Amino acid sequence: MEQVEAVFREERGRLLAALARRFGDLDLAEEVTSEAIETALLRWPVDGVPANPGGWLMTTARRRAVDRLRRDQVYATKLAILQIEAERPAPQATGDELPDERLQLFFTCAHPALAPEDRGALTLRCLAGLTTPEVARAFLVPTATMAKRIVRAKKKIREARIPFRVPDAAELPERLPGVLQVIYSVFTEGYAASAGPYLQRLDLAEDAIRLARILHRLLPAEREVTGLLALMLLIHARRDARSGPDGAIVLLEDQDRGRWDHELISEGSELVVRALTGGTAGSYGVQAAIAALHDEAADFAGTDWPQIVALYDVLLELDPSPVVALNRAAAVAMRDGAEAGLALLDTLADDPRLRDYHPYALARADLLERLGRLPAATEAYERALALAGSEPERAQARDRLTRLRAY
């Protein structure tokens, strides 16, 4: 059964993408993909896994799709067009055609015509293979809300005639960042859950990494794809050390580096080199280089803060966002002292994008505490507590407040 489940995990996205491209209907593709898998669950344990499981699933699903079209008069015209192709032998799952079609589905799910909140949901549903309730839990919304969101996205694809294709060379630079952002947004929610009882959603983080690995296999020459995969691997390598037995947050300086996943660190570090080689660095590649410096330090005291600040300087040129400026200020505080870091944070105080941003309030509180400015630090921790999303974040702020009030 484990072998069968592994086949389904590997083949589902390929099958769905191929059927969506062939029939031009994502709902139909999903339905017959599910039916093919259900049929396999009944037959494979008895007959054994076929030599070409992808081809078997494709043949079964394609026949189901043609039968469905024959019964539905709405699709009569489409069936006439597809009839000749539908009767051809199924393509082999081991060639390049199906991965290319999966890449087409990536760009369809992340098309700029779709609402931003719909892109990640559709990507998880179609390419990560999550059920609608699982996607709803990922985005912390009711299942009914998520179902409507997914239906809306599919309707937009159908009505706007969004093509199932990879953008051409001229379009790729404009479209690829949207695909990468969708994947990284999924990972970010997995790395630091926006709400709930746990700091991390490891299932989401691992789904995002799986999607990035697929994309990297399909676009190995795209250095920002490589950079994103490297970044996520290097961050995810610390997952086991980021929480204590009680779920409390363990800061980077206090983490047991022996619990870090050094195989992921090695893989990520190799990818960083590729991401930074061959031209101007991209944002994900630079972020991955920063993560590599953290991971490769023997201990927190040995972190190369001057190099990290230098990389943040580069990143700020590539992505002049307040979050990058915040992270740079934190690195400057480690290199030059808390006073220098706080001065930089204060220059960001009026940015509306940081006003309700929990990490900003927490970073400012920490630096004020280090400087001995306890009343101001208490006020900042109270702000951080009010903005915290997950229970571990709230517990961290409450613990800091309790400690300060004990002075």
Side-chain angles (χ1 to χ4, degrees), residues 187 209 213 228-239 261 264-265 267-268 271 295:
F187 178 79
I209 289 172
R213 287 192 186 280
L228 176 61
L229 177 57
L231 173 62
M232 295 194 299
L233 293 177
L234 291 163
I235 293 174
H236 196 58
R238 309 175 205 145
R239 63 193 180 280
D261 188 329
L264 283 189
I265 292 173
E267 181 184 359
L271 290 171
D295 286 7

Side-chain angles (χ1 to χ4, degrees), residues 312-327:
Y312 271 121
D313 289 339
V314 174
L315 185 58
L316 204 54
E317 291 291 325
L318 295 169
D319 179 17
S321 73
V323 173
V324 173
L326 164 62
N327 291 333

Side-chain angles (χ1 to χ4, degrees), residues 195-404:
Y198 304 111
L199 174 65
Q200 303 177 93
R201 290 285 311 278
L202 296 181
D203 54 340
L204 279 186
E206 288 164 4
D207 279 330
I209 289 172
R210 182 156 60 90
L211 291 172
R213 287 192 186 280
I214 293 170
L215 196 60
H216 182 250
R217 287 198 298 270
L218 302 176
L219 293 172
E222 291 292 334
R223 291 191 299 133
E224 276 292 77
V225 176
T226 304
L228 176 61
L229 177 57
L231 173 62
M232 295 194 299
L233 293 177
L234 291 163
I235 293 174
H236 196 58
R238 309 175 205 145
R239 63 193 180 280
D240 291 340
R242 293 185 60 230
S243 299
D246 59 353
I249 295 173
V250 179
L251 299 177
L252 185 63
E253 55 262 42
D254 299 322
Q255 289 176 18
D256 178 0
R257 298 185 177 217
R259 299 186 65 200
W260 289 2
D261 188 329
H262 293 280
E263 288 187 8
L264 283 189
I265 292 173
S266 178
E267 181 184 359
S269 297
E270 291 178 6
L271 290 171
V272 169
V273 174
R274 297 185 216 168
L276 298 181
T277 300
T280 304
S283 171
Y284 290 115
V286 174
Q287 290 179 74
I290 293 170
L293 286 173
H294 284 297
D295 286 7
E296 292 169 359
D299 51 38
F300 188 75
T303 305
D304 189 348
W305 292 109
Q307 181 63 19
I308 288 176
V309 172
L311 286 169
Y312 271 121
D313 289 339
V314 174
L315 185 58
L316 204 54
E317 291 291 325
L318 295 169
D319 179 17
S321 73
V323 173
V324 173
L326 164 62
N327 291 333
R328 181 183 180 276
V332 168
M334 297 306 302
R335 185 191 67 179
D336 300 336
E339 193 72 59
L342 184 62
L344 290 174
L345 286 185
D346 286 344
T347 67
L348 304 172
D350 293 330
D351 193 310
R353 293 167 291 182
L354 294 180
R355 190 170 297 135
D356 296 327
Y357 189 55
H358 169 260
Y360 176 79
L362 188 65
R364 191 168 181 277
D366 177 67
L367 294 181
L368 286 167
E369 181 183 0
R370 282 200 255 163
L371 291 168
R373 297 165 57 179
L374 301 190
T378 299
E379 183 179 345
Y381 277 127
E382 289 172 345
R383 178 64 176 162
L385 177 58
L387 295 175
S390 68
E391 180 52 39
E393 289 177 341
R394 287 191 289 272
Q396 181 188 40
R398 282 195 298 265
D399 289 346
R400 297 287 184 89
L401 281 168
T402 299
R403 185 178 66 205
L404 287 185

Side-chain angles (χ1 to χ4, degrees), residues 39 52 81 95 98-99 111 127 141 151 174-175 177 183 216 219 235 237 248 268 276 284 291 314 331-332 358 370:
T39 301
N52 179 9
I81 296 171
L98 293 184
H111 196 280
L127 281 155
V141 300
V151 168
E174 180 182 359
R175 293 280 306 281
I183 296 174
H216 182 250
L219 293 172
I235 293 174
L276 298 181
Y284 290 115
V314 174
V332 168
H358 169 260
R370 282 200 255 163

